[in-house]
Amino acid sequence: MIRHIVMCNIAWDADEAELNAVMAGLGDLVGQIDGYTGFEHGPNRDFEAKSPDHDYGFVGTFASADSLAAYATDPRHQALGARLVTLCVGGGDGIIVYDVEVQD
């Protein structure tokens, strides 16, 4: 299983409704892309004070690396990702991604 962890540095003047719409769209893809099984999102509370520059994030759960690859190339995901980039400080530079292979 792969956890696709995305942390975003959202611009202070970003449209909150647009951020919510992008998150809803990413969540709507669960079950529509083979092996995309879960989605969660929300503000980074940074309780350990280690990630202050990334104030919002989401986690997608994928059955395999192949299902993550299918998600990455899906045009619906790519369109939503392009919208997310416009909301971040520095565009794509305001986004960091971790893909963690979860061990049973």
Side-chain angles (χ1 to χ4, degrees):
M1 178 184 336
I2 305 291
R3 298 266 198 244
H4 179 66
I5 304 161
V6 179
M7 298 303 298
C8 304
N9 184 352
I10 302 296
W12 67 270
D13 60 346
D15 182 348
E16 186 175 344
E18 174 67 355
L19 177 61
N20 290 335
V22 169
M23 293 299 119
L26 292 170
D28 288 345
L29 295 177
V30 171
Q32 294 186 33
I33 298 172
D34 189 39
Y36 183 23
T37 61
F39 179 79
E40 299 168 306
H41 67 95
N44 177 17
R45 297 299 181 212
D46 193 23
F47 294 121
E48 295 185 23
K50 295 191 179 263
S51 54
D53 292 335
H54 295 91
D55 51 346
Y56 202 89
F58 63 89
V59 178
T61 303
F62 295 86
S64 66
D66 288 341
S67 58
L68 177 57
Y71 165 86
T73 59
D74 185 280
R76 297 166 295 179
H77 162 257
Q78 290 178 343
L80 290 162
R83 289 169 60 189
L84 181 61
V85 164
T86 68
L87 299 172
C88 294
V89 174
D93 290 339
I95 300 172
I96 191 163
V97 177
Y98 302 93
D99 293 316
V100 178
E101 186 170 12
V102 178
Q103 303 297 312
D104 292 332

